[in-house]
Amino acid sequence: MSRTNRSSRISRREFGVVLAAGAALPLSAATRSQAQSQPPDYVPPPRPLVAEVAPFSGKLEFTSKRIAPKVEAFPMSHVRLLPGTVFHDAQEWNRGYMSRLAPERLLYTFRANAGLPVGSGQPLGGWEQPENGKRSSELRGHFVGHFLSASALLYASTGATDVKARGDFMVAELAKCQQRLGGAYLSAFPPTWWDRLAAGQRVWAPFYTIHKVMAGMFDMYRLAGNTQALRVLEGMAAWADAWTASKTHDDMQRILAIEFGGIAETLYNLAAATSNDRWAIVGDRFQKEVFITPLALRRDELRGLHANTHIPQAIAAARRYEISSDTRFHDVADYFFQEVSGARSYVTGGTSNAEGWLSPPRQLASEWKASANTAECCCAYNMLKLSRHLYGWEPRAAYFDYYERLLLNHRIGTIRPHVGTTQYYLSLTPGVWKTFATEDQTFWCCTGTGIEEYAKLTDSIYWHDDDGVYVNLFIASELDWQERRFKLRQDTTYPESQHTAITVVEAGPRPLTIRLRVPGWLRSAPVVTLNGRSLDASAAPGSYLAITRTWKDGDRVEMELPMHLHMEAMPDDPRTQAFLYGPLVLAGDLGNDGLTAAHIVGPNLRVGAAGVEQHGSPLGPVNQTPPVPDLEIPTFRSTGSDVDSWIKVADQPMTFRTAGQKRDVTLIPLNRLFDKRYSVYWQVA
Ligand SMILES: [Zn+2]
């Protein structure tokens, strides 16, 4: 029976039920006022409900039609970090780590796979391990792709020609491997693994791995001008076209159950860069319908999914929207971002536990307890990337509140000071500690995204539209807007300091607007001065303060960013609380009882969780964490309505201490805490 027939003799009570069931259908203002103004015995005409249409039923058709972004990030080559900050330090520590990885070692498995001489270097270990008796990694080659991307990003960020030369050398050597393998296919593992993938047999993640190499080639072309890299990528894309074209639609959907990363995004990028729709059509074969369909319908069915397998798919959806204007993909990326950032992220901005989303949305206290492996670093890397796309479509300051939260708490502070190695998970379990990759025997996925992240800290500080510049991040740096002959310098040691200063170095010929992001965490509109005088204009936290004028060389805008202590509770448990100082998440120092060098470097805190696809290493026991003594985690009693009634500023900078508790604890920013056990969340009565 159709709903329309039934509605013709519907009772008033039933009508109310139908309205509730159709709550997703917005009532127009006219309809609403009519319903309210009718006499009580009025029976409204039937209101036919339209059946839900599956957004991705039928074959995907690609038509090239680019959107016009409202704002764009300045190219990294226009921005330079200034020394003396945690950001510049992180860039340099990462540069140091990359420089210690010899290209001969990175190329080893590719040359071996192509039957070329492997040279004198020793192969790398961990997830890059070649065949060696029982030990080998099926992900080998992934890190080499990241290394190409990181080389391109670091060259764009610094202009360092040695970094570009090393990347160029690797592209040339990998091109030789590709030629030896027939001129299209390129990887560090044998083609038989693709047969296993097609047959549904166990294999780690071959598309994930070659995507990294394809993305590396694209970045070497896009950011370092290497046209050989473009030709290598086109060969790989042609191979991917042939392989996927030989499969049915249903076969491909089954194959997409195995992690394939952001390969569609790279294919869309290639399509846009070469104006060749062929590559977008190949990219569309990597659209996983069971993932994107609920998102396009704005339904959170993320529970049980592997987190970092799917974030790159949302980025691919964002890119698909940008090059085709197909709003279904806009909705996929937009809803996914809102849900992960708003309902599935911990206080640091990090998401996932045991690499998955384990709970329904907003039940983070439950998910948090499931394992110690909260918040995979790759997820942070990829969520930052996704938020950039969404910000370009609609430049809301809130995106950069989120961005800053992740950047300050989950990226700065997960690179090992001076050494430059990085973390896998940023655990939020009470009593844990930070663990870092070994120099050359680890190569987690997060080691790969790590070397990219710290090579592109110049990205997204400054954005622009036709009117002027958006200052989104408070990082000491210089911007050279060559097209407008406008240069500025930002001086700050934020977040160590609570203040930033923008100096116009070259004013350019035309008036221009500078928009300063006023962070959402501020308690009130900040004091902003221009050349030492307070501005009349102000802006509320979570918006932009726009200053338009004909600038003069030496003009100086300063903004105060006063931080205060505040609390954030788990959404499903108000007694599980974390504390922040401004944008900085605080961690309690719980000493270093039981920690050895073996805990700090090398171990993998991976602990499985039921019901989640595992992406972690099959290398097994070599990565197990040594045991540590049990630790009693202090609990607190709140003695006032404000946090600062019982957490006090201590005598060291950026240091706090609880007061009047059974056992008092010193708190410092999580991003400054190393080689200690810590807690971020506490039980507060
Ligand atoms: Zn990872």
Side-chain angles (χ1 to χ4, degrees):
M1 192 195 305
S2 80
R3 203 179 274 280
T4 310
N5 290 339
R6 189 168 172 271
S7 304
S8 61
R9 47 190 166 73
I10 202 163
S11 72
R12 288 190 61 77
R13 191 180 60 80
E14 285 173 311
F15 178 61
V17 172
V18 171
L19 262 187
L25 287 176
L27 292 175
S28 72
T31 311
R32 202 174 294 130
S33 66
Q34 185 190 38
Q36 284 160 359
S37 63
Q38 297 302 331
D41 57 350
Y42 171 75
V43 178
R47 183 179 284 117
L49 295 179
V50 177
E52 182 176 283
V53 178
F56 294 104
S57 58
K59 191 175 180 300
L60 264 181
E61 299 289 345
F62 179 81
T63 307
S64 176
K65 188 184 172 198
R66 296 185 198 187
I67 65 156
K70 291 186 178 167
V71 290
E72 291 182 76
F74 280 99
M76 285 171 274
S77 56
H78 290 32
V79 183
R80 291 287 177 264
L81 300 185
L82 297 172
T85 68
V86 289
F87 301 97
H88 190 268
D89 286 348
Q91 174 184 280
E92 295 308 305
W93 297 334
N94 182 52
R95 187 210 295 247
Y97 177 55
M98 286 175 64
S99 72
R100 298 195 300 274
L101 296 170
E104 295 295 315
R105 299 189 69 189
L106 291 159
L107 291 164
Y108 184 102
T109 51
F110 284 87
R111 287 168 167 167
N113 188 56
L116 291 168
V118 292
S120 56
Q122 287 294 307
L124 304 170
W127 291 16
E128 285 293 314
Q129 173 79 46
E131 296 287 347
N132 177 16
K134 274 189 180 170
R135 294 182 63 192
S136 79
S137 168
E138 292 193 346
L139 226 59
R140 61 183 180 253
H142 79 109
F143 183 80
V144 176
H146 286 294
F147 194 90
L148 291 176
S149 289
S151 299
L153 293 161
L154 188 57
Y155 170 64
S157 285
T158 62
T161 50
D162 60 321
V163 171
K164 173 172 158 50
R166 191 173 49 201
D168 288 342
F169 170 75
M170 287 183 54
V171 169
E173 294 302 302
L174 289 167
K176 290 178 192 167
C177 297
Q178 185 185 41
Q179 285 309 311
R180 184 66 183 254
L181 292 167
Y185 179 65
L186 174 62
S187 85
F189 52 79
T192 50
W193 295 8
W194 298 99
D195 302 335
R196 286 160 56 192
L197 181 68
Q201 295 166 0
R202 188 174 164 80
V203 60
W204 195 349
F207 271 122
Y208 169 92
T209 306
I210 66 160
H211 159 245
K212 302 304 180 194
V213 180
M214 294 170 76
M217 292 293 170
F218 184 75
D219 290 336
M220 281 300 297
Y221 166 65
R222 176 180 63 107
L223 299 168
N226 186 317
T227 51
Q228 185 179 29
L230 179 65
R231 290 195 299 275
V232 172
L233 171 56
E234 285 177 318
M236 296 181 78
W239 174 86
D241 184 5
W243 197 92
T244 53
S246 71
K247 308 292 178 288
T248 66
H249 172 267
D250 291 352
D251 280 345
M252 273 309 294
Q253 290 299 311
R254 180 180 52 74
I255 285 163
L256 298 184
I258 302 298
E259 182 167 11
F260 56 95
I263 189 167
E265 183 215 356
T266 300
L267 289 160
Y268 295 144
N269 283 335
L270 179 60
T274 58
S275 300
N276 186 348
D277 292 357
R278 176 187 175 191
W279 309 127
I281 292 163
V282 184
D284 280 354
R285 295 186 195 131
F286 293 91
Q287 288 294 346
K288 183 175 169 182
E289 288 166 7
V290 295
F291 173 63
I292 59 176
T293 298
L295 294 169
L297 294 166
R298 305 188 83 74
R299 282 187 204 133
D300 183 335
E301 295 182 8
L302 301 175
R303 183 186 184 192
L305 295 184
H306 182 276
N308 195 51
T309 300
H310 291 93
I311 303 171
Q313 295 175 41
I315 297 170
R319 196 68 190 116
R320 177 61 157 78
Y321 164 63
E322 288 172 352
I323 64 169
S324 68
S325 302
D326 185 330
T327 53
R328 294 174 297 177
F329 290 97
H330 169 284
D331 294 354
V332 168
D334 178 65
Y335 179 70
F336 177 87
F337 176 83
Q338 303 309 335
E339 205 59 16
V340 173
S341 65
R344 295 185 170 280
S345 291
Y346 297 99
V347 66
T348 51
T351 189
S352 79
N353 193 349
E355 305 200 5
W357 293 297
L358 307 184
S359 69
R362 279 170 282 278
Q363 296 191 15
L364 286 166
S366 312
E367 184 188 88
W368 169 66
K369 292 171 191 148
S371 95
N373 295 333
T374 41
E376 184 186 347
C377 291
C378 285
C379 294
Y381 164 89
N382 277 313
M383 285 300 291
L384 289 178
K385 196 168 161 180
L386 178 60
S387 63
R388 284 186 196 104
H389 287 275
L390 272 69
Y391 181 79
W393 310 342
E394 190 59 56
R396 293 203 303 264
Y399 286 118
F400 269 89
D401 283 334
Y402 169 80
Y403 195 102
E404 180 184 72
R405 180 77 72 97
L406 260 178
L407 182 67
L408 292 180
N409 299 297
H410 197 140
R411 305 311 0 238
I412 297 305
T414 61
I415 182 167
R416 194 164 179 229
H418 309 287
V419 180
T421 50
T422 49
Q423 292 195 254
Y424 194 152
Y425 309 103
L426 178 57
S427 182
L428 299 173
T429 297
V432 290
W433 57 95
K434 291 182 179 177
T435 66
F436 297 89
T438 61
E439 185 81 5
D440 61 356
Q441 299 297 317
T442 306
F443 301 109
W444 299 314
C445 47
C446 304
T447 319
T449 49
I451 58 167
E452 290 190 40
E453 192 85 274
Y454 304 100
K456 62 168 176 178
L457 293 169
T458 50
D459 186 21
S460 293
I461 303 172
Y462 306 105
W463 293 63
H464 69 90
D465 57 15
D466 283 347
D467 294 340
V469 177
Y470 290 69
V471 180
N472 273 319
L473 296 170
F474 311 120
I475 297 178
S477 53
E478 288 175 334
L479 166 68
D480 183 358
W481 191 356
Q482 290 154 6
E483 296 77 7
R484 298 282 283 266
R485 285 193 281 141
F486 183 83
K487 286 186 191 174
L488 63 76
R489 190 182 69 242
Q490 184 176 186
D491 292 295
T492 180
T493 54
Y494 181 89
E496 310 287 312
S497 70
Q498 304 182 16
H499 170 268
T500 192
I502 312 282
T503 304
V504 174
V505 177
E506 188 180 330
R510 288 162 51 192
L512 180 148
T513 303
I514 294 179
R515 288 183 172 80
L516 296 172
R517 182 176 69 91
V518 178
W521 54 260
L522 284 173
R523 269 201 278 223
S524 57
V527 173
V528 179
T529 60
L530 173 62
N531 297 329
R533 290 186 166 179
S534 273
L535 280 181
D536 289 341
S538 192
S543 68
Y544 286 94
L545 176 65
I547 310 170
T548 304
R549 65 192 243 118
T550 302
W551 296 91
K552 291 194 282 296
D553 294 0
D555 276 350
R556 186 173 168 91
V557 178
E558 296 181 66
M559 179 162 68
E560 299 297 328
L561 297 159
M563 296 182 188
H564 66 282
L565 279 168
H566 53 121
M567 179 277 284
E568 265 188 32
M570 285 284 197
D572 51 336
D573 180 4
R575 288 169 308 174
T576 302
Q577 300 180 0
F579 305 104
L580 299 97
Y581 186 57
L584 297 168
V585 172
L586 300 179
D589 179 346
L590 299 178
N592 54 10
D593 193 17
L595 292 189
T596 65
H599 291 89
I600 306 300
V601 176
N604 175 348
L605 271 168
R606 193 168 73 90
V607 178
V612 174
E613 315 156 49
Q614 286 288 337
H615 146 110
S617 168
L619 294 179
V622 294
N623 282 340
Q624 293 301 310
T625 309
V628 287
D630 283 344
L631 197 62
E632 193 183 326
I633 309 298
T635 58
F636 300 135
R637 180 167 291 278
S638 174
T639 57
S641 55
D642 289 331
V643 179
D644 47 15
S645 65
W646 62 276
I647 301 181
K648 304 289 185 187
V649 176
D651 43 11
Q652 299 287 317
M654 297 294 236
T655 306
F656 306 86
R657 190 157 172 86
T658 62
Q661 305 295 323
K662 211 158 112 187
R663 182 180 147 203
D664 281 313
V665 171
T666 298
L667 298 145
I668 64 169
L670 175 63
N671 68 17
R672 291 164 57 131
L673 186 142
F674 297 95
D675 304 341
K676 294 280 187 77
R677 299 176 73 177
Y678 64 86
S679 187
V680 166
Y681 283 107
W682 310 89
Q683 297 304 310
V684 182

mmCIF file of all heavy atoms in Angstrom, residues 268-286:
data_model
loop_
_atom_site.group_PDB
_atom_site.id
_atom_site.type_symbol
_atom_site.label_atom_id
_atom_site.label_comp_id
_atom_site.label_asym_id
_atom_site.label_seq_id
_atom_site.Cartn_x
_atom_site.Cartn_y
_atom_site.Cartn_z
ATOM 1 N N TYR A 268 42.747 11.632 -9.435
ATOM 2 C CA TYR A 268 42.007 12.874 -9.713
ATOM 3 C C TYR A 268 42.990 14.042 -9.880
ATOM 4 O O TYR A 268 42.801 14.906 -10.751
ATOM 5 C CB TYR A 268 41.017 13.186 -8.584
ATOM 6 C CG TYR A 268 39.901 12.167 -8.433
ATOM 7 C CD1 TYR A 268 39.419 11.833 -7.175
ATOM 8 C CD2 TYR A 268 39.323 11.550 -9.541
ATOM 9 C CE1 TYR A 268 38.397 10.900 -7.012
ATOM 10 C CE2 TYR A 268 38.303 10.616 -9.390
ATOM 11 C CZ TYR A 268 37.849 10.292 -8.124
ATOM 12 O OH TYR A 268 36.848 9.380 -7.974
ATOM 13 N N ASN A 269 44.016 14.070 -9.054
ATOM 14 C CA ASN A 269 45.033 15.123 -9.200
ATOM 15 C C ASN A 269 45.701 15.048 -10.565
ATOM 16 O O ASN A 269 45.950 16.073 -11.216
ATOM 17 C CB ASN A 269 46.107 14.982 -8.112
ATOM 18 C CG ASN A 269 45.634 15.489 -6.764
ATOM 19 O OD1 ASN A 269 44.743 16.326 -6.687
ATOM 20 N ND2 ASN A 269 46.224 14.981 -5.694
ATOM 21 N N LEU A 270 45.988 13.828 -10.984
ATOM 22 C CA LEU A 270 46.632 13.632 -12.285
ATOM 23 C C LEU A 270 45.694 14.070 -13.411
ATOM 24 O O LEU A 270 46.119 14.728 -14.374
ATOM 25 C CB LEU A 270 47.025 12.160 -12.446
ATOM 26 C CG LEU A 270 47.702 11.766 -13.765
ATOM 27 C CD1 LEU A 270 49.007 12.531 -13.978
ATOM 28 C CD2 LEU A 270 47.965 10.248 -13.797
ATOM 29 N N ALA A 271 44.413 13.728 -13.273
ATOM 30 C CA ALA A 271 43.427 14.139 -14.289
ATOM 31 C C ALA A 271 43.384 15.660 -14.397
ATOM 32 O O ALA A 271 43.366 16.221 -15.499
ATOM 33 C CB ALA A 271 42.050 13.585 -13.927
ATOM 34 N N ALA A 272 43.385 16.330 -13.236
ATOM 35 C CA ALA A 272 43.308 17.791 -13.247
ATOM 36 C C ALA A 272 44.590 18.407 -13.809
ATOM 37 O O ALA A 272 44.539 19.367 -14.582
ATOM 38 C CB ALA A 272 43.042 18.303 -11.836
ATOM 39 N N ALA A 273 45.735 17.839 -13.440
ATOM 40 C CA ALA A 273 47.011 18.423 -13.862
ATOM 41 C C ALA A 273 47.258 18.237 -15.348
ATOM 42 O O ALA A 273 47.963 19.038 -15.972
ATOM 43 C CB ALA A 273 48.163 17.808 -13.053
ATOM 44 N N THR A 274 46.713 17.164 -15.930
ATOM 45 C CA THR A 274 46.980 16.872 -17.346
ATOM 46 C C THR A 274 45.751 17.118 -18.220
ATOM 47 O O THR A 274 45.791 16.862 -19.417
ATOM 48 C CB THR A 274 47.413 15.396 -17.516
ATOM 49 O OG1 THR A 274 46.371 14.541 -17.009
ATOM 50 C CG2 THR A 274 48.701 15.110 -16.765
ATOM 51 N N SER A 275 44.647 17.579 -17.592
ATOM 52 C CA SER A 275 43.369 17.756 -18.309
ATOM 53 C C SER A 275 42.999 16.485 -19.088
ATOM 54 O O SER A 275 42.566 16.549 -20.235
ATOM 55 C CB SER A 275 43.434 18.961 -19.261
ATOM 56 O OG SER A 275 43.700 20.129 -18.516
ATOM 57 N N ASN A 276 43.175 15.344 -18.454
ATOM 58 C CA ASN A 276 42.874 14.063 -19.100
ATOM 59 C C ASN A 276 41.887 13.292 -18.219
ATOM 60 O O ASN A 276 42.257 12.751 -17.172
ATOM 61 C CB ASN A 276 44.175 13.269 -19.289
ATOM 62 C CG ASN A 276 43.947 11.991 -20.080
ATOM 63 O OD1 ASN A 276 42.797 11.576 -20.311
ATOM 64 N ND2 ASN A 276 45.028 11.369 -20.510
ATOM 65 N N ASP A 277 40.616 13.255 -18.673
ATOM 66 C CA ASP A 277 39.568 12.616 -17.879
ATOM 67 C C ASP A 277 39.806 11.119 -17.665
ATOM 68 O O ASP A 277 39.221 10.523 -16.763
ATOM 69 C CB ASP A 277 38.203 12.787 -18.564
ATOM 70 C CG ASP A 277 37.729 14.234 -18.552
ATOM 71 O OD1 ASP A 277 38.432 15.083 -17.959
ATOM 72 O OD2 ASP A 277 36.663 14.502 -19.143
ATOM 73 N N ARG A 278 40.634 10.528 -18.491
ATOM 74 C CA ARG A 278 40.880 9.083 -18.361
ATOM 75 C C ARG A 278 41.268 8.723 -16.925
ATOM 76 O O ARG A 278 40.791 7.739 -16.375
ATOM 77 C CB ARG A 278 42.015 8.680 -19.319
ATOM 78 C CG ARG A 278 42.421 7.210 -19.188
ATOM 79 C CD ARG A 278 43.662 6.909 -20.037
ATOM 80 N NE ARG A 278 44.119 5.544 -19.830
ATOM 81 C CZ ARG A 278 45.289 5.077 -20.271
ATOM 82 N NH1 ARG A 278 46.102 5.871 -20.969
ATOM 83 N NH2 ARG A 278 45.644 3.825 -20.031
ATOM 84 N N TRP A 279 42.099 9.553 -16.327
ATOM 85 C CA TRP A 279 42.605 9.196 -14.995
ATOM 86 C C TRP A 279 41.521 9.370 -13.932
ATOM 87 O O TRP A 279 41.501 8.651 -12.939
ATOM 88 C CB TRP A 279 43.838 10.039 -14.650
ATOM 89 C CG TRP A 279 44.879 10.005 -15.717
ATOM 90 C CD1 TRP A 279 45.462 11.065 -16.334
ATOM 91 C CD2 TRP A 279 45.462 8.837 -16.336
ATOM 92 N NE1 TRP A 279 46.366 10.654 -17.278
ATOM 93 C CE2 TRP A 279 46.394 9.291 -17.303
ATOM 94 C CE3 TRP A 279 45.301 7.460 -16.162
ATOM 95 C CZ2 TRP A 279 47.144 8.421 -18.093
ATOM 96 C CZ3 TRP A 279 46.039 6.591 -16.955
ATOM 97 C CH2 TRP A 279 46.945 7.075 -17.898
ATOM 98 N N ALA A 280 40.602 10.300 -14.143
ATOM 99 C CA ALA A 280 39.487 10.450 -13.196
ATOM 100 C C ALA A 280 38.562 9.242 -13.271
ATOM 101 O O ALA A 280 38.033 8.783 -12.247
ATOM 102 C CB ALA A 280 38.723 11.732 -13.487
ATOM 103 N N ILE A 281 38.392 8.713 -14.472
ATOM 104 C CA ILE A 281 37.535 7.525 -14.638
ATOM 105 C C ILE A 281 38.184 6.325 -13.927
ATOM 106 O O ILE A 281 37.500 5.530 -13.284
ATOM 107 C CB ILE A 281 37.298 7.264 -16.146
ATOM 108 C CG1 ILE A 281 36.432 8.412 -16.705
ATOM 109 C CG2 ILE A 281 36.639 5.913 -16.379
ATOM 110 C CD1 ILE A 281 36.452 8.530 -18.214
ATOM 111 N N VAL A 282 39.503 6.221 -14.001
ATOM 112 C CA VAL A 282 40.186 5.165 -13.237
ATOM 113 C C VAL A 282 39.999 5.434 -11.738
ATOM 114 O O VAL A 282 39.706 4.516 -10.960
ATOM 115 C CB VAL A 282 41.691 5.100 -13.584
ATOM 116 C CG1 VAL A 282 42.345 3.924 -12.853
ATOM 117 C CG2 VAL A 282 41.911 4.972 -15.083
ATOM 118 N N GLY A 283 40.119 6.680 -11.338
ATOM 119 C CA GLY A 283 39.920 7.030 -9.928
ATOM 120 C C GLY A 283 38.546 6.608 -9.429
ATOM 121 O O GLY A 283 38.402 6.123 -8.304
ATOM 122 N N ASP A 284 37.542 6.779 -10.282
ATOM 123 C CA ASP A 284 36.181 6.416 -9.878
ATOM 124 C C ASP A 284 36.034 4.924 -9.574
ATOM 125 O O ASP A 284 35.123 4.528 -8.844
ATOM 126 C CB ASP A 284 35.182 6.818 -10.974
ATOM 127 C CG ASP A 284 34.832 8.302 -10.922
ATOM 128 O OD1 ASP A 284 35.271 8.983 -9.966
ATOM 129 O OD2 ASP A 284 34.129 8.779 -11.832
ATOM 130 N N ARG A 285 36.912 4.107 -10.123
ATOM 131 C CA ARG A 285 36.839 2.665 -9.809
ATOM 132 C C ARG A 285 37.263 2.397 -8.368
ATOM 133 O O ARG A 285 37.082 1.296 -7.866
ATOM 134 C CB ARG A 285 37.715 1.867 -10.780
ATOM 135 C CG ARG A 285 37.209 1.960 -12.205
ATOM 136 C CD ARG A 285 37.994 1.042 -13.160
ATOM 137 N NE ARG A 285 37.713 1.446 -14.525
ATOM 138 C CZ ARG A 285 38.637 1.673 -15.465
ATOM 139 N NH1 ARG A 285 39.929 1.496 -15.183
ATOM 140 N NH2 ARG A 285 38.286 2.063 -16.666
ATOM 141 N N PHE A 286 37.838 3.392 -7.722
ATOM 142 C CA PHE A 286 38.242 3.246 -6.319
ATOM 143 C C PHE A 286 37.265 3.957 -5.380
ATOM 144 O O PHE A 286 37.624 4.334 -4.276
ATOM 145 C CB PHE A 286 39.664 3.767 -6.123
ATOM 146 C CG PHE A 286 40.706 2.936 -6.820
ATOM 147 C CD1 PHE A 286 41.104 3.229 -8.116
ATOM 148 C CD2 PHE A 286 41.270 1.832 -6.187
ATOM 149 C CE1 PHE A 286 42.049 2.456 -8.772
ATOM 150 C CE2 PHE A 286 42.228 1.054 -6.820
ATOM 151 C CZ PHE A 286 42.611 1.362 -8.131
#
